[in-house]
Amino acid sequence: MNYKHQILLITTLYLIAAVNANSQQNNYPIRFWDIQMINGLIGTEGEYKYQNIFLRNSYKDKLKNSTITGQLILNTQSYFYHPNLLTLETNFQFNPGTRKNIYLVIPDRTDIVIGESVRGNVRFLQSLPINLSAFSQYSHIFTNREYTTDLESNNFSYGGIFNYRNKVAPINLSFQDNKMSQTELRTNRKYLNDRTNIKLNSSFEFSKMDENKLSASFDSYKNEYSNLHKISSNISTFTFNTVLKLDSSAQNKIFSNILYSQNQGYIDYEKYQLAESFLYFLEKKLKLLGNFNYNKMVGTEFINSQQNINFRLEHELFKSVKSHIFFENIRNNQSFSNEQLNNYGSGVLYSKKIPKGILTLSYNYSKQNVEKKNFENNLLILNEKIVLTNTEITILSNPFIDVYSIIIKSLTNDIIYRENIDYILIRRDNFLEVQRLPGGLIEDGSEVFVDYRAETQPSYKYDSYSSTFYSSISLLENLFEFYFRLLSNNYYNINTTYANILKITSQKVFGIKINYKFITAGFELDNYESNIVPLKSKRYYLRAGSKLFDNLSLSITGNLKFVELLEDKNEQEFHDINSMINYRLTSNLDLKLETNHRVQKGMGMNLDLGIFRGELRFNYREFYFSFGAESYNRNFIEEKINYIGGFIRLQRKF
């Protein structure tokens, strides 16, 4: 028997094993092709839209549109010969009509609407240790970012997964290719992204006392935003993680992480990372934690290495008093500077029941010794991580930054954001503040990386201390809560030319909170004294949500924040009020109402946005009928849009 016959015989035996695997599935009939499930929906929708536009350049326009569109959804599940051999799942959605032309005139204000989409998923030999799956997907959707920027997106992706299940070292190999083209309809700016990813994972054990995971990832990015920023990068990453149990109870452990990454393209660099940590209980109420981290990045223009060692000893007394002490040493060596930091301190947390309530007190104190030697006149910062939110002020770490060198990008380094579209920069004395813009690519609360160059300060040396104190009293089973927080950060033994670049802060926060059944309401007063951005703020908030009756549910969220920037003598306001009502009038008839109102006032961020939606839905057996209305009014940096729309929808499920 030659090797071809041997391969054919082995393949035949393997397929027979696949069909006979898992005897509980053997009741499926053997067929060339068997369709197990078909369901879906067919419907039609009539829409009316009216929109007024007023732009900063005095451009005005009135748009009206009415149309009838269709809707078709089809889902299937089938198998070839036997489910253990090959199964196929398909999902298809299509909205025929003139929807594409509608969106180019008046975008829809709903969160997401699908023009057309199709997905197929194939699983092969799913019952055997070696199995495969593959998928392909296309979608054409219309959506918006925060109701300020209207988008049309085309996405196409395909890929597959190979699994080898075994007791020694299971292997998972995946491949995925994704292409996306996104257009901002009103500005015609385009965002193109092409990503290919190959990932290999495996886990194994040498004994019952360890757990190990090994992975390798290969990413290829091609990115273009608004015909200006083009990125092409190839990233290879290898990681090894292990957990070593020091006793049979697995209470004491050692954790290890080893990483190597290579980036070629937009920025060429290599990254090495070693992280070791342990958890050890010296006795029942006393535990010791330790960490060692080493990171090194080597690029064409820089070499950065950082070493971090820290220890923390925690103790618990009578379940009411928890205390800790810690020590940390950081060494940061770069091409242009060397920095050493020692940080040590302690803290205590006390929680005690009192008549009618609970008293909580905590205090933390830390002291730092910092010494930095600079060798060059210019400083290169790569991947400084910051968080951008609508209501918080974010300041970059270093002063005297070259504003033209700033690059803000995603954590995956595949998107470069644009100033005055995705974010704005504001001077704060010698520092820079970064603010996200609503409707840009940066979502509220996102973490981003920032690269920039700054003027290097003369070598410096100083000591600093920081302390935080927190107290709260909760009364009448948490009906009332009063809290106070005090934060202080200061410096001494300063040896530097520019002492004003050190961020001295003193913050006092006082708050009151009321929790009654499904309602939470509160007030918070914040006095933030700083030599960089001193401010005072007041915040009022309300959260309520409940199912009032079997047929009525209500939710409302309100947040009002007033910020006074003392040094700039500017004021900022943030108002957010959202409400939703679901009312089931009968078993076949229900009403849904939703309102949203957002107001932002301040430098470069003025926004007034109001939205109302209402929908009445009726169903009888498999027929579904609904009609609704929507109103949208936006005033964003002197650009106004007034929109009103309505629809009638009829659907039949099968």
Side-chain angles (χ1 to χ4, degrees):
M1 183 181 295
N2 59 36
Y3 73 94
K4 293 183 179 180
H5 292 123
Q6 292 175 345
I7 293 175
L8 180 60
L9 178 59
I10 293 173
T11 302
T12 302
L13 293 175
Y14 196 79
L15 295 179
I16 293 173
V19 172
N20 289 284
N22 297 335
S23 58
Q24 66 270 22
Q25 294 187 4
N26 286 341
N27 56 349
Y28 287 100
I30 303 298
R31 292 181 178 175
F32 177 77
W33 195 270
D34 186 27
I35 298 179
Q36 297 174 277
M37 180 270 293
I38 297 180
N39 63 40
L41 178 149
I42 186 168
T44 184
E45 180 176 340
E47 295 178 306
Y48 172 80
K49 300 178 182 181
Y50 174 82
Q51 180 170 283
N52 278 337
I53 302 175
F54 307 89
L55 302 182
R56 282 175 290 183
N57 57 7
S58 299
Y59 170 80
K60 299 180 181 180
D61 200 359
K62 292 184 178 181
L63 305 174
K64 296 181 181 180
N65 214 300
S66 59
T67 187
I68 296 178
T69 60
Q71 185 180 25
L72 175 63
I73 298 176
L74 181 65
N75 305 308
T76 72
Q77 181 175 319
S78 56
Y79 67 84
F80 171 75
Y81 194 71
H82 192 277
N84 288 344
L85 183 61
L86 184 147
T87 62
L88 173 65
E89 295 178 0
T90 63
N91 309 99
F92 173 80
Q93 182 168 345
F94 179 51
N95 294 326
T98 55
R99 183 174 297 276
K100 184 177 295 186
N101 296 327
I102 297 170
Y103 278 95
L104 295 176
V105 180
I106 305 178
D108 198 295
R109 297 299 170 186
T110 53
D111 292 331
I112 181 170
V113 173
I114 296 175
E116 58 270 355
S117 70
V118 60
R119 176 182 174 88
N121 187 50
V122 178
R123 293 193 296 270
F124 185 60
L125 306 177
Q126 57 183 320
S127 302
L128 292 185
I130 296 179
N131 58 83
L132 300 167
S133 65
F135 76 93
S136 180
Q137 177 174 309
Y138 166 77
S139 65
H140 176 210
I141 63 175
F142 299 88
T143 184
N144 56 70
R145 297 194 207 106
E146 302 176 278
Y147 305 108
T148 58
T149 303
D150 305 298
L151 307 170
E152 179 181 11
S153 301
N154 288 278
N155 299 273
F156 176 69
S157 60
Y158 64 93
I161 299 174
F162 168 82
N163 279 306
Y164 174 38
R165 297 191 294 259
N166 62 81
K167 295 182 179 180
V168 178
I171 295 174
N172 176 277
L173 176 64
S174 64
F175 166 82
Q176 182 169 339
D177 185 90
N178 180 265
K179 294 177 173 61
M180 183 186 73
S181 172
Q182 189 176 85
T183 303
E184 297 176 0
L185 295 179
R186 193 158 57 86
T187 62
N188 205 35
R189 286 190 293 260
K190 294 183 182 297
Y191 169 59
L192 307 175
N193 185 47
D194 187 351
R195 178 186 179 185
T196 302
N197 173 263
I198 301 173
K199 192 168 186 178
L200 174 66
N201 292 301
S202 182
S203 59
F204 52 92
E205 299 176 356
F206 293 108
S207 68
K208 294 181 179 180
M209 303 299 288
D210 66 89
E211 298 174 1
N212 309 281
K213 293 182 180 180
L214 182 66
S215 68
S217 177
F218 305 91
D219 281 286
S220 176
Y221 294 101
K222 292 181 181 179
N223 177 288
E224 181 179 337
Y225 186 22
S226 193
N227 297 319
L228 292 177
H229 297 296
K230 296 182 179 180
I231 297 177
S232 179
S233 293
N234 296 308
I235 304 173
S236 303
T237 305
F238 304 89
T239 59
F240 175 71
N241 295 280
T242 184
V243 178
L244 180 61
K245 305 168 189 176
L246 300 180
D247 53 42
S248 57
S249 65
Q251 192 175 36
N252 302 315
K253 299 178 181 180
I254 295 177
F255 306 86
S256 298
N257 172 267
I258 301 173
L259 180 145
Y260 170 77
S261 180
Q262 183 183 68
N263 190 326
Q264 295 179 324
Y266 167 63
I267 298 179
D268 293 336
Y269 67 85
E270 291 181 288
K271 181 178 180 180
Y272 308 85
Q273 177 178 300
L274 172 64
E276 300 287 334
S277 62
F278 69 86
L279 169 63
Y280 192 83
F281 284 82
L282 301 173
E283 56 180 63
K284 187 176 181 180
K285 300 292 185 178
L286 184 65
K287 63 181 177 181
L288 179 65
L289 302 92
N291 294 278
F292 170 78
N293 293 280
Y294 176 78
N295 292 275
K296 185 174 183 179
M297 291 181 64
V298 180
T300 54
E301 297 184 41
F302 62 90
I303 298 177
N304 296 342
S305 66
Q306 180 174 304
Q307 177 181 296
N308 182 314
I309 301 175
N310 65 76
F311 297 95
R312 181 183 176 97
L313 185 64
E314 297 181 356
H315 183 257
E316 183 177 357
L317 180 64
F318 303 126
K319 295 186 177 181
S320 60
V321 180
K322 297 180 180 180
S323 58
H324 71 269
I325 58 174
F326 70 91
F327 170 78
E328 182 178 36
N329 174 265
I330 299 175
R331 296 176 182 269
N332 192 358
N333 299 321
Q334 304 183 40
S335 305
F336 42 79
S337 68
N338 287 339
E339 182 180 26
Q340 178 171 307
L341 182 149
N342 291 316
N343 185 20
Y344 48 92
S346 61
V348 62
L349 172 64
Y350 175 75
S351 181
K352 186 68 174 178
K353 288 185 177 180
I354 59 175
K356 304 296 184 180
I358 298 176
L359 170 67
T360 302
L361 299 171
S362 71
Y363 179 77
N364 292 277
Y365 175 86
S366 66
K367 184 177 179 180
Q368 287 186 342
N369 312 120
V370 180
E371 182 176 2
K372 187 170 184 178
K373 297 179 180 180
N374 295 313
F375 310 131
E376 299 181 5
N377 294 327
N378 290 312
L379 177 69
L380 174 63
I381 299 298
L382 296 175
N383 294 347
E384 179 178 323
K385 185 184 290 188
I386 61 174
V387 180
L388 298 179
T389 65
N390 289 331
T391 58
E392 302 296 330
I393 292 177
T394 303
I395 305 292
L396 295 178
S397 300
N398 293 278
F400 307 114
I401 295 173
D402 178 6
V403 67
Y404 299 105
S405 69
I406 290 180
I407 297 175
I408 300 181
K409 56 191 179 180
S410 63
L411 296 185
T412 53
N413 288 307
D414 65 324
I415 301 175
I416 294 181
Y417 303 112
R418 291 191 60 190
E419 186 180 1
N420 299 321
I421 295 177
D422 303 309
Y423 66 91
I424 59 173
L425 301 172
I426 301 174
R427 285 284 183 186
R428 301 293 187 191
D429 197 13
N430 297 321
F431 289 82
L432 276 177
E433 177 189 351
V434 183
Q435 283 188 2
R436 68 177 291 273
L437 285 177
L441 285 177
I442 304 174
E443 296 182 3
D444 184 25
S446 294
E447 292 183 329
V448 298
F449 278 147
V450 186
D451 299 344
Y452 58 85
R453 292 184 181 274
E455 179 183 337
T456 304
Q457 305 309 304
S459 299
Y460 56 78
K461 182 179 180 180
Y462 64 80
D463 297 329
S464 71
Y465 68 86
S466 63
S467 62
T468 58
F469 171 75
Y470 175 80
S471 64
S472 71
I473 297 178
S474 175
L475 300 173
L476 302 176
E477 297 183 348
N478 203 32
L479 176 62
F480 298 101
E481 182 180 351
F482 304 88
Y483 61 90
F484 174 74
R485 184 170 65 250
L486 177 65
L487 180 147
S488 178
N489 186 64
N490 216 325
Y491 302 83
Y492 62 99
N493 295 335
I494 300 173
N495 183 6
T496 181
T497 306
Y498 302 105
N500 62 335
I501 68 173
L502 302 177
K503 300 177 182 178
I504 301 172
T505 58
S506 177
Q507 185 181 28
K508 300 173 183 176
V509 179
F510 172 76
I512 302 173
K513 184 187 295 184
I514 299 174
N515 302 292
Y516 179 70
K517 293 184 178 180
F518 57 88
I519 299 175
T520 298
F523 167 76
E524 188 174 271
L525 182 65
D526 187 352
N527 185 8
Y528 184 79
E529 298 177 5
S530 169
N531 60 327
I532 308 299
V533 188
L535 61 87
K536 292 183 178 180
S537 71
K538 293 183 291 184
R539 176 174 171 251
Y540 307 85
Y541 59 90
L542 170 68
R543 295 187 295 271
S546 177
K547 191 173 183 179
L548 301 179
F549 306 102
D550 290 339
N551 60 345
L552 177 63
S553 61
L554 168 70
S555 67
I556 182 170
T557 303
N559 186 76
L560 281 72
K561 186 171 183 178
F562 303 90
V563 180
E564 181 184 359
L565 302 174
L566 302 177
E567 190 172 278
D568 296 342
K569 296 182 179 180
N570 286 326
E571 294 184 351
Q572 296 178 346
E573 294 184 19
F574 305 90
H575 305 185
D576 285 285
I577 301 176
N578 306 304
S579 64
M580 181 180 295
I581 298 174
N582 285 302
Y583 184 31
R584 180 167 289 276
L585 301 170
T586 69
S587 60
N588 299 325
L589 183 65
D590 61 274
L591 174 67
K592 180 178 180 181
L593 300 175
E594 180 181 358
T595 62
N596 301 273
H597 189 211
R598 179 193 299 175
V599 175
Q600 293 180 184
K601 296 180 181 179
M603 184 183 300
M605 55 184 294
N606 289 336
L607 170 68
D608 191 335
L609 174 63
I611 299 169
F612 168 80
R613 294 175 182 167
E615 183 178 357
L616 186 66
R617 295 175 291 191
F618 172 77
N619 68 282
Y620 177 71
R621 294 184 177 177
E622 298 301 323
F623 285 93
Y624 294 81
F625 172 78
S626 62
F627 69 90
E630 183 176 48
S631 175
Y632 168 97
N633 296 282
R634 185 192 75 176
N635 186 344
F636 180 50
I637 315 180
E638 300 179 358
E639 295 184 356
K640 298 181 181 180
I641 294 179
N642 299 322
Y643 166 88
I644 187 169
F647 67 88
I648 298 176
R649 183 181 300 127
L650 177 64
Q651 298 174 333
R652 169 68 163 87
K653 293 185 177 181
F654 59 88

